[in-house]
């Protein structure tokens, strides 16, 4: 059996797929890859279905040794140097990693999270239909550790999809987040969404897979009583008592007790997943 | 039973009701209609304290218009499956709760065992159910200082809720007992022993 042996786990590397939809009523977060387009692209180029598990790295990549056979790997997401057995290899294209050789996914030159797909997928056991590592609830495999062994699944019949050029996206200099109306807009002053749209925030280093936190002016609430816990969606912008908005990402809790002023559409969250701390953030109120 | 239907972004609706009991009735009705194929495409139905969230809704505007016309009956007392949880009344906060209630420690277990609870919603951790049913005069505040580790299986009270910790975690609820029942096992069907809508009785473990 072919496996990947973790030589260098990096700052935080987790197994991710499309997540665990359908279990929120039992307290199970959705989870799944934060930059879904990058996850899907890596799988497509590796010849995997979109639901195959990839590795999501954070800032400084990961190094993996192919053991028991060669693997075909693809790195997408945050652009970074890729090396196989010490030699430069392609980013955004299938690379062959011979048995015994190390695939080194380096530090991101822009953005935060790179995705590593291997043909056949990372075949750790699924929990409730998903292999995603959920850092809030602890479901799925934990973050990968040095020396860990990750099974590689059997490749399907499909060949890897070709691509002449994979655009190196790279995160924008400014993170623009459309803001659709939220259920508790009436907990804020009438002009709060507009003021929120005018203010410039910066991505806080306290951001993680649960939420994108920002630094900047506080949003003023007109109601200060306690909101009974209610269901939360991906992209919900919660405003805790300190007034600083938190944008919920994949591992967000299924219920929360702070009012939601607006919702960032999921399509805009891939960019949020790649925004390094300090990146300017603007919310764009939309209808 | 009037409902406020609030839009949540492009593909979700939050139904706000006047009370937890009404939210429970709406949750039951939503599940009944979903099972009957009358709800349309909805990915998640998430009850909470006074709301039900519908997420992954294909046609939120159309569904919102239909929901506002629904007549939802009050929840029948016997609605929902009954789950019995065997408990030892050995929690470290038992005497404190007895003091707050003005009864003996032994009486606390008898009162809780004599109460039929309902799982209003889950949250905090997978399989952690918020159980309603305690009369208002028996509500106890959370501990001033949460414990850094509450053992799995701890039976606890806080505010209007009772709950059982599915696994060891930090927590500020008052611990009155413990159970060997497995609250959460993702390999089991159903994974959660206490799912929203279930009725729950605690009985003295033998």
């Amino acid at each position: 059996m072919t496996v990947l042996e973790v030589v260098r786990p990096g700052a935080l590397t987790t197994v991710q797929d499309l997540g665990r939809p359908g279990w929120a009523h039992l307290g199970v977060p959705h989870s799944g890859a934060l930059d879904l387009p990058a996850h899907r692209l890596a799988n497509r180029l590796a010849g995997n279905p979109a639901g195959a598990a990839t590795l999501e790295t954070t800032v400084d990549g990961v190094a993996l040794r192919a053991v028991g056979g060669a693997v075909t790997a693809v790195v997408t997401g945050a652009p970074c140097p890729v090396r196989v057995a010490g030699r430069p290899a392609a980013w955004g294209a299938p690379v062959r990693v011979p048995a015994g050789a190390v695939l080194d996914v380096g530090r991101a030159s822009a953005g935060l999270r790179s995705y590593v797909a291997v043909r056949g997928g990372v075949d750790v056991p699924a929990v409730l239909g998903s292999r995603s590592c959920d850092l809030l609830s602890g479901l799925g495999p934990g973050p990968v550790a040095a020396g860990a062994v990750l099974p590689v699944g059997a490749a399907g019949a499909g060949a890897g999809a070709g691509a002449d050029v994979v655009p190196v996206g790279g995160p924008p200099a400014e993170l623009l987040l459309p803001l659709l109306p939220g259920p508790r807009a009436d907990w804020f002053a009438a002009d709060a969404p507009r003021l929120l749209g005018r203010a410039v925030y910066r991505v806080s280093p306290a951001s993680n897979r649960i939420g994108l936190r920002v630094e900047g002016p506080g949003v003023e609430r007109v109601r200060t009583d306690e909101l009974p816990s209610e269901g939360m969606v991906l992209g919900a912008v919660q405003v805790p008592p300190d007034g600083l908005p938190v944008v919920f990402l994949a591992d967000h809790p299924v219920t929360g007790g702070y009012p939601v002023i607006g919702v960032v559409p999921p399509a805009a969250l891939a960019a949020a997943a790649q925004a390094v701390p300090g990146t300017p953030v603007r919310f764009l109120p939309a209808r | 039973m009037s409902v406020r239907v609030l839009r949540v972004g492009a593909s979700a609706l939050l139904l706000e009701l006047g009370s937890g009991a009404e939210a429970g009735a709406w949750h039951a009705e939503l599940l009944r209609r979903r099972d009957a194929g009358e709800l349309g495409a909805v990915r998640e139905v998430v009850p909470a304290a006074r709301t039900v969230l519908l997420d992954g809704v294909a046609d939120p505007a159309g569904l919102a218009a239909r929901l506002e016309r629904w007549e939802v009956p009050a929840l029948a007392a016997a609605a929902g499956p009954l789950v019995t949880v065997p408990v030892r009344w050995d929690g470290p906060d038992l005497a404190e709760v007895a003091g707050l209630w003005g009864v003996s420690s032994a009486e606390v277990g008898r009162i809780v065992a004599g109460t039929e609870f309902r799982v209003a919603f889950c949250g905090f951790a997978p399989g952690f159910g918020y159980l309603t049913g305690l009369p208002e005069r028996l509500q106890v505040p959370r501990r001033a200082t949460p414990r850094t580790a509450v053992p799995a299986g701890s039976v606890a009270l806080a505010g209007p809720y009772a709950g059982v910790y599915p696994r060891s975690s930090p927590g500020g609820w008052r611990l009155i007992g413990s159970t060997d029942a497995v609250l959460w096992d993702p390999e089991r069907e159903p994974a959660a022993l206490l799912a929203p809508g279930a009725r729950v009785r605690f009985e003295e473990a033998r």
Side-chain angles (χ1 to χ4, degrees):
Chain A
M1 188 180 70
T2 305
V3 301
L4 300 170
E5 183 192 308
V6 179
V7 176
R8 179 179 65 81
L12 173 66
T13 299
T14 58
V15 178
Q16 295 297 339
D17 55 20
L18 301 178
R20 296 186 177 83
W23 302 99
H25 62 290
L26 299 183
V28 175
H30 190 291
S31 195
L34 286 196
D35 185 344
L36 277 172
H39 163 88
R40 288 174 181 276
L41 176 63
N43 272 330
R44 188 162 70 83
L45 294 174
N48 293 333
T54 62
L55 294 175
E56 178 183 281
T57 71
T58 315
V59 181
D60 64 350
V62 67
L64 308 158
R65 187 189 309 277
V67 176
V71 300
T72 299
V74 178
V75 181
T76 64
C80 61
V82 177
R83 288 176 169 271
V84 173
R87 292 171 187 216
W91 179 97
V95 296
R96 190 181 143 82
V97 186
V102 171
L103 167 72
D104 191 279
V105 178
R107 174 173 288 269
S109 57
L112 281 179
R113 296 178 169 97
S114 301
Y115 290 81
V116 186
V118 288
R119 187 157 157 76
V122 177
D123 195 20
V124 296
V127 177
L128 295 176
S130 167
R131 298 179 169 85
S132 287
C133 163
D134 173 351
L135 292 176
L136 182 76
S137 77
L139 290 179
V144 307
V149 167
L150 303 168
V152 176
D164 294 333
V165 177
V166 172
V168 181
E174 185 180 37
L175 180 62
L176 300 177
L177 299 176
L179 190 66
L180 298 173
R184 300 296 173 190
D186 58 344
W187 280 55
F188 303 89
D191 59 350
R194 195 171 50 83
L195 293 179
L196 184 61
R198 271 201 208 150
V200 175
Y201 290 90
R202 286 185 184 278
V203 173
S204 159
S207 301
N208 54 26
R209 284 187 41 84
I210 296 165
L212 180 87
R213 292 173 179 274
V214 297
E215 293 164 349
V219 178
E220 212 176 315
R221 272 164 64 165
V222 293
R223 284 186 64 174
T224 51
D225 46 321
E226 209 166 305
L227 180 71
S229 280
E230 60 190 29
M232 291 285 145
V233 301
L234 182 67
V237 181
Q238 253 202 354
V239 181
D242 68 6
L244 292 179
V246 179
V247 184
F248 273 167
L249 302 180
D251 287 357
H252 73 86
V254 299
T255 59
Y258 299 129
V260 170
I261 190 169
V263 179
V264 176
L269 296 176
Q274 298 292 2
V276 299
T279 302
V281 183
R282 279 202 300 138
F283 294 95
L284 306 174
R287 282 270 133 203
Chain B
M1 208 183 285
S2 74
V3 63
R4 259 180 96 202
V5 182
L6 305 165
R7 295 293 293 269
V8 184
S11 59
L13 298 172
L14 187 68
L15 314 189
E16 185 175 44
L17 285 308
S19 68
E22 288 185 17
W26 270 79
H27 176 243
E29 183 71 3
L30 284 158
L31 295 191
R32 191 186 69 73
R33 297 214 193 193
R34 183 175 68 178
D35 292 347
E38 297 169 17
L39 195 58
V42 173
R43 191 178 65 235
E44 312 270 2
V45 179
V46 188
R50 285 209 305 257
T51 57
V52 184
L53 173 74
L54 302 176
D55 194 8
V57 180
D59 174 21
L63 181 58
R66 282 190 286 138
L67 289 169
E68 277 161 359
R69 292 194 299 270
W70 280 20
E71 297 284 341
V72 174
L75 202 55
L82 178 66
V83 180
T84 303
V85 179
V87 178
R88 294 174 298 272
W89 303 108
D90 57 1
D93 300 331
L94 188 66
E96 224 170 87
V97 169
L100 289 165
W101 286 2
V103 301
S104 68
S105 290
E107 192 63 19
V108 170
R110 280 196 287 274
I111 290 170
V112 174
T115 305
E116 185 168 294
F117 293 89
R118 179 177 295 279
V119 184
F121 59 98
C122 288
F124 174 62
F128 187 99
Y130 288 75
L131 277 49
T132 52
L134 267 189
E136 202 170 331
R137 65 189 161 78
L138 296 183
Q139 295 183 8
V140 295
R142 286 162 190 265
R143 287 167 53 88
T145 309
R147 291 184 168 86
T148 52
V150 172
S154 296
V155 178
L157 304 177
Y161 302 114
V164 188
Y165 284 78
R167 59 171 191 219
S168 174
S169 62
W173 291 29
R174 310 240 177 198
L175 312 185
I176 59 170
S178 60
T179 180
D180 294 332
V182 177
L183 274 291
W184 174 253
D185 177 2
E187 303 298 318
R188 179 180 69 189
E189 173 55 42
L193 183 65
L194 307 181
R199 291 175 296 139
V200 183
R201 280 194 171 275
F202 295 104
E203 63 172 24
E204 174 127 30
R206 272 172 287 180

